[in-house]
């Protein structure tokens, strides 16, 4: 199962997000859920960097298949829109394939 956690501050800004695990929907290389989540995640981070100029901190543990993104500075509406688009895409994956492969959690920080 892929576990995605969004850490939200009291002012409703995402301060951190983490992605961990494998969906287990199909064999490696054929897992469309892993592919979808990877593309959504990668496209969001690339879009934030390229289109907004905002810099975040990315920690990768490829052996454990864990990625953590920290948003240490405040950001504008452009970054909020991209993060919300990521959340919408992930919610769509859950709606289509269920919670057995992808679990999304929101935590307050």
């Amino acid at each position: 199962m892929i576990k995605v956690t969004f850490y939200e501050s009291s002012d409703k800004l995402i301060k951190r997000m983490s992605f961990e695990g494998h969906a287990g929907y199909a064999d490696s290389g054929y897992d469309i859920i892993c592919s979808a989540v990877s593309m959504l995640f990668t496209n969001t981070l690339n879009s934030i960097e390229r289109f907004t100029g905002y810099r975040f901190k990315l920690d990768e543990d490829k052996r454990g298949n864990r990625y953590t993104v920290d948003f240490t500075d405040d950001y504008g509406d452009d970054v909020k829109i991209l993060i919300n688009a990521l959340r919408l895409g992930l919610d769509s994956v859950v709606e289509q394939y269920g919670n057995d492969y992808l679990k999304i959690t929101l935590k307050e920080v």
Side-chain angles (χ1 to χ4, degrees):
M1 173 186 294
I2 299 172
K3 296 177 184 176
V4 177
T5 306
F6 291 96
Y7 299 85
E8 186 177 70
S9 65
S10 60
D11 58 354
K12 302 298 181 196
L13 287 178
I14 299 299
K15 294 298 191 179
R16 170 182 276 181
M17 52 189 188
S18 67
F19 295 73
E20 178 177 8
H22 291 284
Y25 181 78
D27 291 336
S28 182
Y30 297 94
D31 195 323
I32 59 175
I33 295 174
C34 278
S35 294
V37 172
S38 293
M39 268 318 294
L40 287 165
F41 176 70
T42 301
N43 188 62
T44 299
L45 296 184
N46 288 341
S47 295
I48 289 171
E49 282 186 331
R50 179 170 290 177
F51 299 128
T52 73
Y54 180 85
R55 297 292 176 237
F56 49 82
K57 181 183 174 200
L58 174 64
D59 287 321
E60 300 177 75
D61 176 5
K62 292 181 182 179
R63 285 177 285 132
N65 200 39
R66 181 178 172 86
Y67 301 88
T68 303
V69 181
D70 285 304
F71 300 100
T72 55
D73 298 321
D74 287 338
Y75 50 81
D77 289 338
D78 49 358
V79 174
K80 284 183 197 176
I81 288 169
L82 292 168
I83 292 170
N84 285 333
L86 169 64
R87 291 172 73 175
L88 177 65
L90 294 170
D91 287 340
S92 296
V93 172
V94 171
E95 286 176 18
Q96 184 155 359
Y97 295 98
N99 287 319
D100 292 338
Y101 306 105
L102 174 60
K103 180 180 179 184
I104 303 168
T105 304
L106 179 65
K107 292 186 178 182
E108 290 185 33
V109 292

